[in-house]
Amino acid sequence: MLLSSLLVSYNGYFKDDEGIKHYDYPDVWTSFAKNSLASVFLYVAIALAVILIAVGAFVSWKRRDKFGGYLKTAIALAVGFAGTVIVSMLALEFLDMKESGAVFDMVLYPAIILGSVAVLGVAASYVCSLFGKKAFKIGSIVSLSVFGAAAVAMLVCLGIYFSSGDAEEINGVSITSSENALLYVTSVLLIGVLLFISFFFGRKDKKGFDSKSISYAAICIAMSFALSYLKIFEMPQGGSVTIASLLPLMIYSYMFGVKKGIFAGFIYGILQAVQDPWIVHPAQFLLDYPVAFACIGVSGIFSKTKKLERFPQIQIGLGAILASVLRYACHILSGVFAFSEYAYSPAGLPMNPWIYSLGYNAFVFADIAIVIAAAILVFSSRAFIRAARKFNASAPVKAEETPASVPAKEPVQENAENEDTTDKKSE
């Protein structure tokens, strides 16, 4: 019924003298299709999650030794579902943008190319890893180089688009010179905060990406991106509350550390800009998308805190709260300095931009509350925690785990020499 309705409504069009299609329902079809499919995917996702969690709990209780294999199967099913959601919803998003007259040439096409390069780069790096570490290193360097070139090209296109003034005119805003300067300053400051957290709290993380960390990053980004389409409600000027869409990224940060988590969040933020673009300024683009979602990578900041080692739910919960506060700060600053024209009360009266932005962007905490509730459920599984902590690069090595290959020193006879040797060992 749904498919036939979509096909009937989509096929209702005529062509003018220039061969351009005009649909009978130009403003209805894509909205109807997106809402209908989003509802279907939402119910399927809930059913799939309940089934996978229930079966996982049973496997963990009955055959704990089989949980690792089940986890791989569950991830494969989830990734397959995520891929279906992403392809279907993105196709409708692009069609909707095209019908509404979006600027494909200077904004969307470069973003699509950048996303495609990222996906192909991950796939190429993984394939290269099958041929050895050297091949993986070469493949990763080439992939990152191509990705960097595509990112620079996209930034250049965005710069041309912004300088034309179309972005402000289309979105009905006017950014003053002082707001322009403050946007750049605040974005640089927040990027500095993320870099500090990345290098200070992630200094013991395993350096560089390997095939496993890249594969898991791709999986978690894809799952978060797919879940971001399952919205409970959507804000009028961008932003939404979803079904725990950020949980996969938070789990990734917990498993691999804040450095890799921040990087994965940054890539996810670029994809969000393709999905729901509200872009009027380069710094606003950074604050609302890459930087805001890079903050989600901070979620794993307490994963190595020994005092909380017995309480993984608290570790991920505290990390999620800190990440959401940083993300909230990004959206507030963007709202104040880039979207002050939208600062009106429901009654149509002008409001202070700070108060308006503080209230409008409070949806972040509703979104994170759902994520924390889901995280507490997931992190209550001992089998899952054991599997996640295997990737903890800086886990302390116990004395009895010292490699046996380390040669033992020859015994010393005299007491004075024994004491001296003990001192040296302790140093």
Side-chain angles (χ1 to χ4, degrees), residues 75-86:
I75 290 174
L77 288 172
V79 171
F81 174 71
T84 302
V85 174
I86 290 171

Side-chain angles (χ1 to χ4, degrees), residues 148-188:
V152 170
M154 188 190 77
L155 290 175
V156 170
C157 291
L158 284 175
I160 296 172
Y161 174 60
F162 291 134
S163 62
S164 67
D166 291 340
E168 295 183 29
E169 182 179 350
I170 291 173
N171 290 279
V173 300
S174 178
I175 299 175
T176 64
S177 57
S178 60
E179 290 174 335
N180 178 71
L182 288 169
L183 277 170
Y184 282 115
V185 170
T186 53
S187 61
V188 169

Side-chain angles (χ1 to χ4, degrees), residues 94-179:
F94 292 150
L95 183 60
D96 190 20
M97 292 176 188
K98 187 174 182 180
E99 288 180 353
S100 62
V103 185
F104 262 74
D105 294 338
M106 296 303 298
V107 179
L108 291 178
Y109 282 143
I112 293 170
I113 292 172
L114 181 64
S116 302
V117 167
V119 172
L120 293 175
V122 169
S125 298
Y126 178 76
V127 171
C128 290
S129 70
L130 302 177
F131 295 92
K133 292 183 178 180
K134 187 175 181 180
F136 171 74
K137 185 176 181 180
I138 294 173
S140 299
I141 292 173
V142 172
S143 299
L144 287 173
S145 299
V146 176
F147 178 81
V152 170
M154 188 190 77
L155 290 175
V156 170
C157 291
L158 284 175
I160 296 172
Y161 174 60
F162 291 134
S163 62
S164 67
D166 291 340
E168 295 183 29
E169 182 179 350
I170 291 173
N171 290 279
V173 300
S174 178
I175 299 175
T176 64
S177 57
S178 60
E179 290 174 335

Side-chain angles (χ1 to χ4, degrees), residues 155 187 191 266 281-293 330:
L155 290 175
S187 61
I191 291 173
F266 185 88
H281 189 276
Q284 173 267 325
F285 163 73
L286 291 173
L287 287 172
D288 276 336
Y289 296 103
V291 177
F293 290 102
C330 291

Side-chain angles (χ1 to χ4, degrees), residues 197 250 253-254 258 295-303 305 308 311-327 368 371-372 375:
I197 292 174
M250 291 181 176
S253 177
Y254 186 91
V258 294
C295 294
I296 303 304
V298 178
S299 302
I301 194 171
F302 298 107
S303 62
T305 304
L308 299 174
F311 308 99
Q313 301 95 332
I314 296 178
Q315 287 179 326
I316 192 67
L318 290 176
I321 292 172
L322 178 59
S324 64
V325 168
L326 290 173
R327 178 191 171 193
I368 209 66
V371 175
I372 292 175

Side-chain angles (χ1 to χ4, degrees), residues 8 44 73 121 124 148 163 169 196 213 223 239 249 252 257 262 317 339 396 413:
V8 168
V44 172
T73 302
S163 62
E169 182 179 350
F196 171 78
S213 62
M223 292 177 66
L249 286 174
Y252 180 79
I262 288 173
F339 295 103
Q413 300 297 327

